[in-house]
Amino acid sequence: MALSRLIVVLAATVALLLFSRAEAGEIGVNYGMLGSDLPDPASVVRLLRKSGITSVRLYDTNATVLRALANTGIKVMVMLRNDELAAVAASPSVALRWVRSNVAAHYPATQIRDVEVGNEVFLKAKSLTRQLVPAMNNVHAALVRLRLDAAIKVSTPLAFTALAESWPPSSGRFRDDIAQSVMKPMVDFLRRTGSSLNVNAYPYFAYIAQPDKISLDYALGNPNPGVRDNKTGLVYHSLLDAQIDAAYFAMEKLESAGTSMVVAESKGQSGTPGVNVPETGHPHNGPRKHNGGRRLLAAGDGCPAASISNAQAYNNNLINRVLSGATGTPYRPDADMDVHIFSLFDENLKSNRPDDTENFFGLFYSNMTKVYGFDFHRAALASWCMANASAGAAALQAAMDYACGHGADCGAIQPGGTCFEPGNKLAHASYAFNSYYHRNGRARGTCDFDGAAYIVFREPAGNCDPKASRCVANAAAGEKALQEALNYACANGADCSAIQRCGPCFEPNNVTAHASYAFNNYYQRKGRAGGTCDFAGAGSVVYRAPKIGKCVLPSKVWNL
């Protein structure tokens, strides 16, 4: 009998070690099932594994799906539905039965890591607001009783509307009707149990509400000049970062006057809980009801904000960022962050209007083909370290001197070097910072320089790399020759969709710009082989990333 108990204890210990929570940020997907034509769960699990997707969030505890995910190594977030919440809040015994049936029955074969109690309760089920924290406490108590609380955490996804104010981030605060009555005990619970605040954040919706005040690149996380919080001096290059930091500041404001929290910069430390994003994304199609009428939401130039190219940019920036370990924000630079992209599939029943934007957030169509290129495998990552102009000349010079003196190869930015032009401090600092960052294996903290640099996941314009080349159009060849070569490239392997109307590289709409894009895409897809950037004299090789409108020609075609 003693030996049997010892075996049980050892087995439990091994399970805990095998399934203990990782400290690094995780990138996953939301697996919704509001579609009439979605594939069966077994096929979905094969797709997840093939795609390198290691974490999935469910909107319930569907037993068929949980069984399909068993023994796959895929981490799973499950949800107690809103219609189950009241009963669980009212009775610890009901909570225990629910956890036994829907969580313990599948664990550890299915790696359930999180239980979300309710879904955007303040927005979708307001009558349950006061029952939310009691339900969270009862679910956690059930996990404690079953000895699963160390491996499985409890939280709840908040709609971003739980914040009354979010800009600047330092002004972030929760709505008065929930701040002290619900959010304060919730944050206390999260701190006590080692859980994170979960906030659904959609920069897309913030952008379409104020396209005249928010830049599209800032919303997508593309390279941009940044936006300063004048209260803190922090500069934000990502609207998602600003939204996350607003949640951090809102949590701090819950403390009573004269008391300040000890701020934790990573999960598992005492103090302010970390912030995770269980739901974010960008639609690739569809008009949406807006301001009392239906119109195609436009991105300034008459092109839709909900487009394949914009969805690809947002989600790829996010995937690459989390996989690279760059999950910190300006206010919490060392924080870890778990993110789940909405959604795995387009779901044709998400809205009762077939062409609604809500139906078009998928990474995959329902037939399991990709809507656009992306890659969840770490080997596909690309990132660059850029100088932050707002840091000032003195800070840039000091940081550049440090980088060049500690391993960066700065020979190319000396007079006469390949990357000396343009001979200004910002360009030279970007080159030095990027060299230092890559020579240090893009490790966390190697692209900071006390705020003088930041990481981007799209190659910035002007980036110079003597070892990498691009193919651009030779304007002197004349429009006729360029058009013929452009047609050849597009018909023989180049992906020219980006230079179609409303594509990210359509502007400027001239043959030289379009030919440069097509030539470079053809050249990169051919592995930069000799003779693939000639086009009878219409193309030429360069080593600096040229910018054509808002489009930067890459030195490698990523995310195929």
Side-chain angles (χ1 to χ4, degrees), residues 6 36 38 96 123 156 200 203 236 271 318 350 358 363 457 459 478 488 498 522 538 548:
L6 177 60
S36 63
L38 297 180
L96 181 60
L123 178 66
T156 186
N200 293 344
Y236 289 84
L318 191 55
K350 190 83 168 99
E358 289 286 342
L363 295 171
F457 299 95
E459 190 167 10
Y488 175 86
Y522 179 89
I548 300 174

Side-chain angles (χ1 to χ4, degrees), residues 270-438:
S270 61
T272 305
V275 175
N276 289 332
V277 182
E279 192 174 300
T280 188
H282 193 106
H284 61 81
N285 194 10
R288 177 181 172 82
K289 190 172 182 179
H290 185 63
N291 290 336
R294 296 183 72 231
R295 63 184 179 87
L296 193 64
L297 294 165
D301 57 0
C303 293
S307 68
I308 286 179
S309 60
N310 289 338
Q312 181 178 29
Y314 181 80
N315 286 325
N316 272 317
N317 286 337
L318 191 55
I319 291 168
N320 290 348
R321 169 186 176 171
V322 176
L323 288 180
S324 75
T327 53
T329 63
Y331 190 49
R332 293 287 183 272
D334 296 322
D336 291 317
M337 174 176 63
D338 293 341
V339 179
H340 286 77
I341 293 173
F342 182 80
S343 59
L344 183 58
F345 296 110
D346 281 353
E347 299 173 61
N348 62 4
L349 301 179
K350 190 83 168 99
S351 167
N352 57 14
R353 297 192 305 275
D355 62 347
D356 196 317
T357 299
E358 289 286 342
N359 296 349
F360 297 102
F361 275 82
L363 295 171
F364 292 92
Y365 295 112
S366 59
N367 63 4
M368 298 195 292
T369 60
K370 289 183 177 182
V371 177
Y372 43 78
F374 59 85
D375 199 328
F376 281 77
H377 298 91
R378 291 180 184 271
L381 293 179
S383 58
W384 293 263
C385 185
M386 286 185 66
N388 185 354
S390 65
L396 289 178
Q397 185 63 57
M400 182 164 54
D401 291 343
Y402 177 88
C404 293
H406 290 81
D409 180 3
C410 296
I413 54 175
Q414 303 306 311
T418 310
C419 300
F420 178 75
E421 297 295 341
N424 63 65
K425 191 163 294 180
L426 189 65
H428 287 181
S430 285
Y431 181 90
F433 296 168
N434 194 52
S435 175
Y436 180 88
Y437 174 60
H438 281 84

Side-chain angles (χ1 to χ4, degrees), residues 489-515:
C490 293
N492 287 275
D495 178 359
C496 296
S497 58
I499 53 176
Q500 305 305 309
R501 175 160 179 77
C502 292
C505 300
F506 178 74
E507 296 293 347
N509 181 19
N510 61 65
V511 69
T512 302
H514 287 186

Side-chain angles (χ1 to χ4, degrees), residues 225-246:
V227 183
R228 179 184 291 274
D229 181 334
N230 289 327
K231 293 183 179 179
T232 62
L234 296 172
V235 177
Y236 289 84
H237 297 276
S238 160
L239 178 52
L240 180 63
D241 277 353
Q243 293 178 328
I244 293 167
D245 276 355

